[in-house]
């Protein structure tokens, strides 16, 4: 329920409310506080089995830094992985990797202005949990600080700062002075002052740790498949001895609410899509009582109704905005913001403002539509009730993340079952006047900030902006919702078609049904995720079957039709029809095929298949959608060169495929070729031969239900007498060794990539061996490039084994760095590769990879995702399902010689593409 109604409920230990309407706290939590002030929350949860999720929240961030410590909260977080009392140097990472915990995936940490958070997902085998608790207790009070490790980590942090110095960060630096007016937030951010990071003495780093890593500022969260009493005992044993060795007070988290209209403008030459935000600031109210929960529901409904009206605005012909929306969030600790936002194209700063304020003030005067209100209430009740049925699906990681957030914000984590009942009661009590009143109250707030993000050549008159914001005397018109919408779209006279063939695979427990029209349906019952059904359908063809003159329309067919609605109903109306049904479908037309992916609850499974039926047989073409999409795409293409990364990527695609029409990025000429009739023709053609589709259905649904609704909806899909496949036209990337180097970046950063490709036959074992090599190489590069040389924030390694239209393996290595060090770091990477090719790697690297896989293998095999993938590979590629039984043997067969052979086999190739994106200054 929480994810649907967009409300944050947080846990605060020891919290009590003497009000009669106080909300009930989740009873399954064990909460406690040690004598030193450290708080803890424990929850038993068996999904996944034999795993635990641990979080250590330290309520200290960059706001706690002294002026000579800017950036040190973040640096301390990095140092936590570089040695503690019980784990010297990198031994924490080494130990955790030895038990199959991945650095960056299962093990991580982060720092913000207000907190530092350490996270770990760990398998519960042997004494893993005890050692994990020892690691967390070391982080809490026993981090080592050595000059050697500090100097290494300075370089890593500097490279992280280089990596994060992007458009978003530069815009934030311009806007923060108004956003955080008169507060310490303006002077602090986690990256900090790089001169301080480079030069600060070790005693000042340790001083931050000693001052602020105090048990009274800590909250430990442990969730997993264990005995909670045993966990509580461990916490008391390992964390009780810590002392609060400082009496310094935390910086305030509050921000002043300024009761006037402010206007700020940020400019950057990389801005492609300009935007406008109008923020209203209100006092933040915690959800502590039924009345608070009711108010949060009012807020949720109001936002949904506004965004629905905004979407309708986007369906008009030639709107100024490309997107309009409203959202709300907590801002600092004392404020809540309501943000009306608009993205637009061109130099339309004033027209965009007039468009969004007209919508805002129209709703303020005339209110929301009653029918829309009733639909949203119905939708929320459906989602609320579905959430109760899905409680058993909730993973420990999700609980741990939520509980850490609740602890930070010191709010309640409501009893989940009680919450569902209460929300239903409150939804029944709400009226449209409650929603309209809330909306008017927001627009009456005095604290307001208008914020533009634009290109450097754009000038915006603040006086004119303020005048428009204050002018509510405009022509107020709104179209009332008078159209009656059906409960579903398919015709009532549909008759079920016969199932002409049914087979059962006893070994893997799945059924195959062939319908009268030739469509194949594969079904497997799986209730790992309760009340959830997943679908995947596919057919070969895609836009590969069309001549180059048809490519622009083929690529845009789904973009236009998919947003046009169904039958006589537009896109928004279709969403309203399905609003109270938990159904999602995602159609796809790709280069080599067509597909559907989708999901639903058990009860709404019928509508999942009905939605596919209506999408194929009742599609429509919306002229406004077509016209608006062309205008938006064209405007973005004209501005693409402002983004160095996009410009670089576009030119790289042209280079790799020698400018071939089938692989070049969409350009202005392509947009000019788009036309209605060709789009309709191509879309109809792609979904006219549904007998070439195979539908795979896996989930918590009975065989009888699958047969019943497959016969009715899939059985009536259109068919055509053709056995279609994709067309491979012999087009391949450039071969041989190539360098692609461009100096486009506006910042002092080089982005480097090495890509090795080789055409080799695919096999399951080869794909697994290649994956193992990727993991080994990534670990060794991290150890050398990041940890030893401090040369990059991270080094990415990706491998892929393409199976169509021909078999080819690719290994790609990428990183960002100081331009002055790129040649040095590339040399180190090649040395690591050469060493792996010449010498067998240590067994520990392989053991770490295999344990990562095996830690979750049995659990993953239970999931619907696993079976969807296995059944798809069986029906799409013809893979033998018996490979499932061989997976463990293949993983266990990996040894140092296998890794050496793979390195030689796949990286000893003539097809190497070296890529550099460098600063513009390197041209000088």
């Amino acid at each position: 329920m929480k994810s649907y109604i967009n409300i944050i409920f947080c846990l605060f230990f020891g919290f009590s409310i003497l009000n009669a309407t106080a909300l009930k706290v989740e009873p399954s939590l064990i909460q406690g506080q040690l004598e030193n002030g450290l708080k803890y929350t424990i929850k038993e949860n068996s999904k996944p089995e034999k795993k635990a999720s641990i979080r250590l929240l330290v309520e200290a961030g960059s706001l706690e830094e002294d002026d000579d410590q800017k950036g040190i909260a973040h640096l301390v977080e990095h140092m936590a992985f570089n040695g503690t009392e019980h784990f010297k140097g990198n031994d924490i990472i080494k130990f955790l990797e030895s038990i199959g915990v991945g650095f960056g995936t299962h093990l991580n940490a982060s720092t913000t202005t207000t907190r530092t958070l350490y996270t770990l997902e760990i398998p519960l085998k042997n004494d893993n949990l005890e050692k994990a608790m020892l690691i967390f207790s070391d982080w809490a009070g026993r981090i080592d600080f050595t000059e050697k490790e500090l100097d290494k980590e300075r370089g890593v942090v500097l490279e992280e700062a280089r990596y994060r110095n992007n458009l978003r960060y530069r815009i934030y630096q311009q806007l923060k002075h108004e956003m955080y007016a008169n507060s310490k937030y303006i002077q602090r951010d986690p990256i900090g002052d790089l001169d301080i990071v480079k030069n600060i003495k070790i005693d000042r780093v340790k001083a931050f740790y000693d001052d602020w890593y105090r048990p009274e500022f800590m909250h430990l969260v442990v969730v997993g498949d264990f005995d909670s009493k045993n966990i509580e005992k461990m916490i008391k044993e390992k964390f009780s001895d810590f002392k609060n060795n400082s009496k310094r007070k935390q910086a305030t988290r509050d921000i002043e609410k300024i009761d006037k209209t402010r206007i700020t403008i940020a400019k950057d030459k990389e801005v492609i899509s300009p935007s406008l935000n109008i923020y209203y600031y209100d006092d933040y109210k915690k959800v502590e009582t039924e009345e608070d929960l009711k108010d949060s529901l009012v807020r949720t409904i109001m936002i949904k109704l506004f965004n629905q009206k905004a979407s309708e605005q986007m369906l008009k012909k030639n709107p100024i905005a490309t997107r309009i929306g409203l959202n709300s969030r907590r801002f600092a600790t004392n404020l809540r913001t309501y943000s009306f936002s608009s993205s637009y194209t061109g130099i339309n700063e004033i027209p965009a403002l007039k468009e969004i304020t007209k919508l805002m003030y129209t709703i303020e005067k005339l209110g929301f539509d009653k029918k829309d209100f009733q639909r949203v209430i119905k939708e929320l009740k459906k989602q609320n009730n579905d959430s109760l049925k899905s409680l058993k699906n909730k993973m420990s990681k999700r609980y741990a993340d939520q509980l850490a957030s609740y602890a930070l914000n010191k709010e309640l984590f409501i009893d989940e079952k009680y919450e569902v009942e209460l929300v239903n009661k409150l939804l029944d009590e709400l009226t449209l006047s409650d929603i309209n009143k809330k909306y008017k109250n927001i627009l009456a707030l005095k604290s307001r900030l208008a914020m533009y993000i634009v290109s450097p050549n754009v000038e915006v008159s603040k006086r004119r902006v303020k005048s428009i914001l204050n002018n509510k005397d405009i022509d107020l018109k709104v179209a009332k919702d008078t159209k009656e919408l059906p409960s579903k779209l398919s015709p009532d006279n549909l008759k079920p078609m016969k199932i002409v063939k049914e087979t059962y695979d006893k070994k893997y427990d799945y059924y195959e049904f062939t319908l009268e029209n030739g469509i194949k349906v594969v079904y497997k019952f799986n209730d790992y995720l309760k009340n959830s059904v997943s679908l995947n359908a596919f057919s070969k063809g895609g836009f590969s079957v069309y001549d180059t003159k048809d490519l622009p329309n083929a690529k845009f067919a789904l973009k236009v039709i998919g947003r046009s609605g169904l039958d006589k109903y537009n896109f928004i109306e279709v969403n309203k029809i399905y609003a109270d049904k938990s159904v999602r479908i995602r159609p796809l037309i790709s280069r080599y095929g067509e597909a559907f992916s989708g999901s639903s609850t058990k009860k709404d499974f019928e509508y999942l298949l009905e939605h596919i039926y209506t999408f194929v047989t009742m599609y429509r073409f919306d002229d406004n959608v077509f016209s608006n999409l062309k205008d938006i795409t064209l405007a973005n293409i004209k501005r693409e060169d402002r983004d160095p990364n996009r410009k670089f990527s576009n030119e790289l695609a042209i280079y790799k495929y020698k400018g071939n029409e089938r692989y070049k990025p969409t350009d202005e000429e392509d947009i000019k070729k788009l036309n209605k009739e060709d789009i309709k023709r191509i879309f109809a053609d792609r979904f006219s031969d549904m007998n070439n589709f195979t539908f795979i259905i896996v989930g918590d649904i009975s065989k009888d239900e699958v047969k019943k609704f497959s016969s009715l909806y899939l059985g009536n899909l259109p068919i055509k007498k053709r056995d279609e496949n994709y067309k491979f036209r012999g087009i391949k990337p450039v071969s041989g060794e190539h360098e692609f180097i461009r100096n486009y970046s506006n910042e002092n950063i080089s982005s480097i990539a090495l890509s090795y490709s080789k055409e080799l036959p695919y096999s399951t074992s080869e794909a697994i061996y290649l994956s193992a090599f990727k993991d080994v190489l990534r670990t060794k590069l991290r150890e050398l490039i990041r940890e030893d040389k401090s040369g990059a924030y991270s080094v990415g390694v990706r491998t892929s084994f393409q199976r169509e239209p021909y078999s080819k393996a690719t290994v790609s290595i990428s990183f960002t760095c100081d331009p002055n060090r790129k040649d040095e770091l590339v040399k180190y990477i090649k040395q690591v590769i050469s060493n792996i090719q010449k010498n067998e790697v240590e067994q520990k690297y392989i053991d770490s990879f295999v344990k990562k896989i095996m830690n979750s293998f049995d659990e993953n095999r239970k999931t619907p995702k696993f079976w969807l993938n296995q059944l798809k590979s069986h029906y799409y590629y013809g893979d033998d399902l018996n490979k499932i039984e061989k997976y463990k043997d293949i993983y266990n067969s990996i040894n140092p010689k296998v890794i050496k052979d793979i390195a030689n086999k796949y990286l000893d190739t003539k097809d190497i593409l070296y890529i550099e994106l460098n600063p513009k200054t390197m041209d000088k």
Side-chain angles (χ1 to χ4, degrees):
M1 177 57 198
K2 296 174 180 63
S3 61
Y4 289 116
I5 64 174
N6 196 28
I7 303 167
I8 300 177
F9 301 115
C10 299
L11 168 72
F12 177 44
F13 168 76
F15 198 92
S16 63
I17 306 170
L18 300 179
N19 193 304
T21 58
L23 299 171
K24 296 179 183 178
V25 177
E26 172 60 42
S28 65
L29 302 179
I30 291 181
Q31 311 166 53
Q33 180 171 321
L34 303 180
E35 288 184 9
N36 57 19
L38 184 141
K39 304 171 188 71
Y40 58 85
T41 302
I42 306 167
K43 179 171 174 58
E44 294 182 11
N45 189 58
S46 60
K47 227 174 191 79
E49 294 178 356
K50 299 178 182 177
K51 297 279 180 64
S53 295
I54 310 174
R55 306 289 181 266
L56 176 63
L57 169 69
V58 183
E59 291 183 54
S62 43
L63 283 179
E64 273 61 62
E65 297 164 348
D66 293 333
D67 287 342
D68 69 336
Q69 292 177 318
K70 294 177 183 178
I72 302 312
H74 180 222
L75 184 56
V76 167
E77 171 231 307
H78 276 245
M79 290 295 293
F81 296 90
N82 287 42
T84 66
E85 181 177 314
H86 296 97
F87 299 88
K88 301 303 179 184
N90 297 123
D91 284 356
I92 286 177
I93 296 174
K94 289 177 181 177
F95 163 68
L96 291 172
E97 286 185 332
S98 75
I99 62 172
V101 171
F103 181 61
T105 51
H106 309 119
L107 169 69
N108 218 325
S110 62
T111 304
T112 69
T113 50
T114 60
R115 61 94 181 129
T116 307
L117 183 67
Y118 297 89
T119 68
L120 176 64
E121 317 300 322
I122 192 164
L124 298 179
K125 297 179 181 178
N126 305 320
D127 62 348
N128 288 356
L129 187 55
E130 283 203 15
K131 285 188 177 177
M133 296 299 274
L134 181 61
I135 290 169
F136 275 93
S137 67
D138 271 9
W139 284 338
R142 294 186 288 262
I143 296 177
D144 284 342
F145 292 90
T146 66
E147 293 283 1
K148 179 182 177 182
E149 295 298 333
L150 177 61
D151 287 341
K152 283 184 182 179
E153 214 55 37
R154 292 183 207 268
V156 176
V157 171
L158 293 173
E159 288 309 314
E160 181 178 355
R162 190 190 310 277
Y163 171 76
R164 298 192 188 282
N165 186 20
N166 51 26
L167 172 64
R168 185 175 178 178
Y169 182 73
R170 296 195 302 271
I171 292 294
Y172 167 75
Q173 292 299 319
Q174 295 179 58
L175 297 176
K176 68 180 182 180
H177 299 279
E178 287 292 352
M179 292 171 63
Y180 297 103
N182 305 324
S183 76
K184 195 175 180 181
Y185 286 93
I186 295 173
Q187 307 159 21
R188 297 290 186 271
D189 63 60
I191 289 297
D193 184 321
L194 298 187
D195 284 334
I196 291 176
V197 173
K198 289 178 187 176
N199 299 302
I200 193 167
K201 301 297 183 184
I202 196 166
D203 62 313
R204 292 298 293 146
V205 178
K206 192 173 186 305
F208 180 90
Y209 182 70
D210 292 339
D211 282 342
W212 301 111
Y213 274 56
R214 299 180 349 223
E216 62 181 316
F217 295 151
M218 294 181 182
H219 197 123
L220 187 68
V221 174
V222 191
V223 183
D225 187 17
F226 46 57
D227 180 348
S228 55
K229 291 182 179 179
N230 184 41
I231 301 299
E232 188 172 29
K233 182 182 177 184
M234 279 191 203
I235 293 172
K236 291 177 179 178
E237 288 175 353
K238 297 191 182 299
F239 292 87
S240 292
D241 291 341
F242 294 120
K243 308 294 183 186
N244 294 298
N245 295 319
S246 172
K247 294 183 180 181
R248 295 187 66 181
K249 292 184 178 180
Q250 293 168 306
T252 179
R253 269 68 174 149
D254 290 354
I255 294 174
E256 179 185 354
K257 185 172 66 170
I258 300 173
D259 286 335
K260 67 177 184 179
T261 297
R262 295 169 291 151
I263 299 161
T264 186
I265 302 161
K267 299 182 179 184
D268 195 281
K269 53 191 170 185
E270 291 183 18
V271 171
I272 292 177
S273 179
S275 63
L276 159 68
N277 283 271
I278 305 168
Y279 290 96
Y280 288 83
Y281 292 84
D282 197 5
D283 295 327
Y284 184 80
K285 184 75 170 66
K286 293 180 181 180
V287 179
E288 300 173 348
T289 68
E290 288 187 14
E291 197 59 32
D292 298 333
L293 180 56
K294 183 176 180 179
D295 184 62
S296 65
L297 286 168
V298 169
R299 180 168 58 250
T300 299
I301 295 166
M302 177 197 69
I303 291 171
K304 278 182 170 287
L305 290 172
F306 181 89
N307 288 333
Q308 191 173 98
K309 286 298 178 189
S311 297
E312 291 169 5
Q313 173 74 13
M314 296 299 95
L315 289 182
K316 296 177 181 178
K317 188 170 184 179
N318 301 323
I320 302 299
T322 59
R323 186 193 63 81
I324 292 176
L326 168 63
N327 65 60
S328 177
R329 70 181 181 95
R330 188 176 187 177
F331 190 67
T333 54
N334 62 316
L335 299 178
R336 173 176 289 282
T337 60
Y338 296 89
S339 173
F340 295 87
S341 60
S342 170
S343 297
Y344 52 93
T345 59
I347 303 177
N348 279 307
E349 282 63 38
I350 297 303
L353 177 61
K354 287 182 176 180
E355 180 182 54
I356 192 171
T357 53
K358 182 176 180 179
L359 178 64
M360 290 162 57
Y361 300 152
T362 298
I363 294 172
E364 181 185 24
K365 182 175 181 179
L366 301 179
F368 293 106
D369 185 82
K370 187 174 183 179
K371 288 182 181 178
D372 287 341
F373 167 72
Q374 292 169 339
R375 288 190 195 99
V376 169
I377 291 289
K378 192 175 179 182
E379 174 188 359
L380 287 177
K381 289 182 79 170
K382 174 68 165 60
Q383 293 172 340
N384 184 43
N385 292 325
D386 285 344
S387 71
L388 182 61
K389 299 173 185 176
S390 303
L391 273 181
K392 292 182 179 179
N393 300 337
K394 201 165 177 179
M395 296 291 177
S396 294
K397 182 181 186 300
R398 185 179 170 197
Y399 270 123
D401 289 337
Q402 285 183 320
L403 289 168
S405 176
Y406 305 160
L408 177 65
N409 292 297
K410 299 178 173 59
E411 295 191 24
L412 290 173
F413 179 65
I414 302 173
D415 180 332
E416 294 177 299
K417 293 180 181 178
Y418 153 80
E419 180 191 0
V420 171
E421 296 173 1
L422 180 56
V423 166
N424 281 338
K425 170 180 169 288
L426 294 174
L427 287 172
D428 285 336
E429 295 173 359
L430 290 176
T431 65
L432 181 57
S433 62
D434 294 328
I435 313 303
N436 288 329
K437 181 181 178 182
K438 179 73 174 179
Y439 184 81
K440 288 180 180 180
N441 289 342
I442 290 167
L443 293 194
L445 292 168
K446 294 180 181 179
S447 183
R448 183 169 62 175
L449 172 63
M451 179 188 299
Y452 277 100
I453 299 173
V454 297
S455 302
N457 62 321
V458 173
E459 297 299 328
V460 182
S461 166
K462 291 186 178 181
R463 179 178 294 179
R464 193 169 180 198
V465 169
K466 190 170 184 179
S467 173
I468 294 169
L469 286 171
N470 291 333
N471 179 24
K472 296 187 178 183
D473 185 21
I474 54 179
D475 182 20
L476 301 178
K477 294 178 182 178
V478 65
K480 287 292 181 181
D481 186 1
T482 57
K483 187 185 286 189
E484 290 295 328
L485 300 178
S487 60
K488 66 175 189 175
L489 291 173
S490 59
D492 292 331
N493 59 355
L494 272 184
K495 295 181 180 180
M497 296 291 108
K498 293 179 181 178
I499 293 177
V500 297
K501 185 180 179 182
E502 177 179 333
T503 61
Y504 174 63
D505 187 300
K506 185 176 181 180
K507 183 174 183 179
Y508 294 108
D509 189 26
Y510 72 91
Y511 293 86
E512 180 187 304
F513 314 120
T514 303
L515 303 176
E516 195 174 346
N517 60 359
I519 289 176
K520 192 175 291 183
V521 180
V522 181
Y523 157 71
K524 179 175 176 62
F525 177 78
N526 181 291
D527 65 349
Y528 180 83
L529 297 178
K530 306 295 182 186
N531 195 38
S532 177
V533 185
S534 299
L535 173 147
N536 201 305
F538 47 84
S539 172
K540 294 184 179 182
F543 51 79
S544 70
V545 301
Y546 298 106
D547 293 335
T548 53
K549 65 181 178 63
D550 275 331
L551 285 178
N553 289 295
K555 292 178 180 179
F556 270 77
L558 191 57
K559 292 181 181 179
V560 178
I561 302 291
R563 301 176 193 179
S564 291
L566 299 170
D567 195 25
K568 57 185 178 182
Y569 305 102
N570 65 34
F571 183 75
I572 305 302
E573 290 164 342
V574 171
N575 283 341
K576 289 179 181 180
I577 292 169
Y578 286 95
D580 65 335
K581 290 137 182 119
S582 298
V583 171
R584 294 181 179 87
I585 70 160
R586 181 175 178 267
L588 174 69
I589 302 176
S590 64
R591 187 178 304 278
Y592 295 116
E594 302 79 48
F596 288 97
S597 59
S599 62
S600 75
T601 58
K602 184 188 300 188
K603 183 179 178 181
D604 292 326
F605 175 71
E606 173 184 359
Y607 296 103
L608 175 62
L609 298 192
E610 190 247 3
H611 204 359
I612 292 173
Y613 171 83
T614 56
F615 182 83
V616 172
T617 63
M618 301 170 70
Y619 65 88
R620 69 195 289 262
F621 187 100
D622 189 312
D623 291 308
N624 286 352
V625 168
F626 180 49
S627 175
N628 296 344
L629 184 61
K630 283 200 301 181
D631 290 345
I632 292 168
T633 306
L634 196 57
N636 286 334
I637 288 172
K638 289 178 178 178
R639 290 176 169 229
E640 277 185 339
D641 279 0
R642 296 182 182 182
D643 182 342
N645 291 298
R646 194 175 299 187
K647 180 180 180 181
F648 180 82
S649 296
N650 287 344
E651 291 184 9
L652 177 60
I654 292 169
Y655 178 84
K656 281 178 69 175
Y657 289 94
K658 302 176 184 177
N660 189 280
E661 286 290 315
R662 293 188 172 274
Y663 289 88
K664 72 176 182 63
T666 300
D667 58 26
E668 293 183 44
E669 289 303 312
D670 291 328
I671 304 304
K672 293 175 183 178
K673 293 175 185 176
L674 298 178
N675 71 84
K676 178 177 181 176
E677 295 308 316
D678 283 338
I679 283 177
K680 289 168 65 177
R681 168 180 60 84
I682 290 169
F683 180 87
D685 181 54
R686 288 303 82 215
F687 296 102
S688 63
D689 60 340
M690 297 302 293
N691 49 310
N692 283 318
F693 270 76
T694 298
F695 286 79
I696 301 176
I697 297 166
V698 179
D700 187 11
I701 187 81
S702 71
K703 180 180 76 167
D704 289 343
E705 293 284 291
V706 172
K707 291 174 72 173
K708 176 182 176 181
F709 295 119
S710 295
S711 299
L712 183 61
Y713 296 113
L714 303 185
N716 280 287
L717 289 173
I719 61 173
K720 186 179 282 187
K721 289 186 177 179
R722 70 179 183 192
D723 186 16
E724 188 176 63
N725 204 334
Y726 59 78
K727 289 187 178 180
F728 175 48
R729 299 173 183 271
I731 303 162
K732 295 182 179 181
V734 292
S735 59
E737 288 197 32
H738 291 265
E739 287 187 352
F740 185 82
I741 300 173
R742 297 290 187 272
N743 302 335
Y744 292 158
S745 180
N746 292 313
E747 300 299 331
N748 186 37
I749 186 171
S750 287
S751 300
I752 311 297
L754 297 87
S755 181
Y756 300 79
S757 299
K758 198 167 190 178
E759 291 185 28
L760 289 166
Y762 174 89
S763 73
T764 300
S765 58
E766 284 292 294
I768 289 174
Y769 292 157
L770 190 60
S771 181
F773 168 73
K774 172 185 72 176
D775 194 80
V776 170
L777 179 60
R778 183 166 51 199
T779 301
K780 290 187 76 65
L781 290 178
R782 186 200 74 224
E783 290 175 342
L784 179 63
I785 304 299
R786 175 182 162 127
E787 295 171 6
D788 187 33
K789 303 298 180 182
S790 303
Y793 176 52
S794 65
V795 181
V797 181
R798 291 187 303 159
T799 58
S800 63
F801 219 130
Q802 171 185 307
R803 300 185 68 175
E804 60 182 15
Y806 58 94
S807 183
K808 182 181 75 170
T810 302
V811 178
S812 298
I813 303 161
S814 60
F815 63 97
T816 60
C817 67
D818 179 346
N820 293 321
R821 296 192 66 187
K822 59 184 177 65
D823 295 336
E824 167 202 355
L825 297 177
V826 169
K827 178 182 175 183
Y828 287 136
I829 288 171
K830 290 181 176 179
Q831 286 177 358
V832 170
I833 292 172
S834 178
N835 286 336
I836 296 174
Q837 290 174 322
K838 293 176 181 177
N839 308 298
E840 294 184 356
V841 297
E842 294 175 70
Q843 184 67 37
K844 66 178 183 179
Y845 294 104
I846 296 163
D847 292 343
S848 173
F849 168 74
V850 173
K851 284 180 181 177
K852 279 181 216 171
I853 300 298
M854 291 302 131
N855 282 342
S856 56
F857 183 86
D858 291 334
E859 188 83 15
N860 286 341
R861 185 168 171 168
K862 299 174 185 177
T863 65
K865 182 179 178 180
F866 176 88
W867 289 104
L868 277 173
N869 290 337
Q870 298 305 314
L871 289 168
K872 181 178 179 180
S873 70
H874 175 61
Y875 281 91
Y876 191 89
Y877 293 112
D879 291 354
D880 185 352
L881 275 179
N882 288 315
K883 69 179 182 180
I884 295 170
E885 310 305 323
K886 300 175 183 177
Y887 282 144
K888 286 189 175 181
D889 289 340
I890 295 172
Y891 283 112
N892 289 324
S893 71
I894 302 171
N895 57 44
K897 184 178 185 304
V898 167
I899 298 301
K900 179 181 178 181
D901 291 345
I902 289 292
N904 284 292
K905 187 173 186 178
Y906 290 92
L907 272 64
D908 183 14
T909 174
K910 295 179 180 178
D911 294 339
I912 304 172
L913 178 59
Y914 176 75
I915 300 166
E916 281 186 14
L917 172 58
N918 297 313
K920 290 177 180 177
T921 52
M922 293 190 71
D923 281 334
K924 298 177 182 179

